Amino acid sequence: MSDPVPTVPELAASLGVEAKAMRAWMRRQGWRHPVEKGSPWVLTPEQVELLTARFDQAQSAPASSPPLDTDDRPLAGRTAGELLALYGGVLRELRHRGLVRTNNAPIGDLAEYCAAVVYDGLLAPNSEKSYDLTSADSLRVQVKVRVLRAGTNAAAVFSPFRSFDFDLCAFLIVDDLENRVVVAREWTVEQVQALSRHRTHTNGSVVRMSQIRRHDTIGRDRQEDFDRTWQEIMTQQSA
């Protein structure tokens, strides 16, 4: 008689990890559909094996991982080809860790990953253009992110909205020097519609960074949640 298949909390406890982190990883693998929300996870023996391998490795990972590139020359001393090769290696490693999903500049994918953890949600397929993830309580969440650099214009805008087929939008501002989420506000779709401005040349509605920083009485402040999760992601090492 085969051993009973453990539940997610039982398996997480045996591996010394949080059940929430394990469920978040399973959602990112697409192991269940959002309509199954509310029902307990029923694992197969194959899934238990994959989870054990994934989280055992995470727990036994060395304190420091070897760098992707052992050449200690500063970036300024690299050729354009070397820089592109290094950048490609960074993207491949981020994809391997499951932190990004495309070969685009990684800030957008990292922001979506961060939001998926904050909302304990399931990332939408890349083909979905109206929202980026479905939260644990079945809300469709759009994610917008801008990097704050020295000299960033206050009138700088987030990427345009071309659809309002979502429930919430999480606006994130990441400080380039500190690598921290310094602003994170959650607006409803009604607030986005009321406060965004349509631009003909982009065929979409935009929200300025200054609006998110100035309207601190609009929406919900999620800076602490997003920054804490962002810092956890930034310190992750390869499993």
Side-chain angles (χ1 to χ4, degrees):
M1 184 174 181
S2 59
D3 294 332
V5 178
T7 65
V8 172
E10 290 171 344
L11 182 60
S14 70
L15 296 175
V17 299
E18 292 186 0
K20 178 179 178 180
M22 185 173 287
R23 287 193 297 269
W25 186 83
M26 290 191 293
R27 290 191 185 96
R28 291 193 294 275
Q29 310 315 304
W31 286 6
R32 72 188 297 176
H33 192 274
V35 298
E36 298 178 79
K37 172 203 169 281
S39 60
W41 287 87
V42 179
L43 300 175
T44 66
E46 292 76 15
Q47 290 173 334
V48 170
E49 183 178 347
L50 287 170
L51 287 166
T52 301
R54 169 65 177 83
F55 287 95
D56 261 352
Q57 290 177 3
Q59 292 301 299
S60 60
S64 59
S65 298
L68 289 172
D69 187 276
T70 56
D71 189 337
D72 60 0
R73 285 179 298 156
L75 294 180
R78 310 292 184 100
T79 67
E82 289 172 335
L83 289 174
L84 286 175
L86 182 60
Y87 181 63
V90 169
L91 284 179
R92 284 192 295 274
E93 178 63 15
L94 289 172
R95 284 176 63 90
H96 172 71
R97 298 186 190 189
L99 297 175
V100 303
R101 302 189 290 165
T102 70
N103 288 322
N104 300 327
I107 189 68
D109 282 354
L110 286 170
E112 292 174 13
Y113 180 94
C114 183
V117 176
V118 169
Y119 290 104
D120 197 14
L122 176 68
L123 288 167
N126 284 329
S127 58
E128 176 57 61
K129 303 302 181 184
S130 299
Y131 59 94
D132 298 306
L133 62 106
T134 304
S135 70
D137 49 358
S138 299
L139 295 176
R140 298 163 301 169
V141 183
Q142 174 75 265
V143 181
K144 298 290 186 183
V145 61
R146 281 297 306 247
V147 176
L148 181 65
R149 299 184 174 91
T152 298
N153 194 315
V157 299
F158 293 89
S159 61
F161 293 92
R162 296 190 174 89
S163 166
F164 293 104
D165 188 21
F166 57 91
D167 301 299
L168 298 174
C169 182
F171 293 95
L172 310 183
I173 298 178
V174 178
D175 186 281
D176 183 47
L177 293 179
E178 297 183 6
N179 198 18
R180 303 190 71 96
V181 178
V182 293
V183 178
R185 295 206 69 82
E186 177 185 285
W187 284 11
T188 65
V189 65
E190 292 81 12
Q191 289 168 328
V192 173
Q193 290 175 308
L195 295 170
S196 61
R197 177 173 295 184
H198 187 268
R199 289 188 171 180
T200 304
H201 69 281
T202 59
N203 190 31
S205 299
V206 298
V207 172
R208 297 189 303 277
M209 289 177 63
S210 59
Q211 288 178 276
I212 299 301
R213 304 181 75 178
R214 183 175 69 245
H215 292 307
D216 57 1
T217 60
I218 296 176
R220 181 183 177 192
D221 182 11
R222 301 299 302 270
Q223 187 271 335
E224 183 177 336
D225 295 332
F226 273 94
D227 186 52
R228 180 176 60 252
T229 302
W230 187 267
Q231 296 311 310
E232 292 172 355
I233 293 171
M234 292 300 103
T235 57
Q236 286 184 16
Q237 296 176 334
S238 180

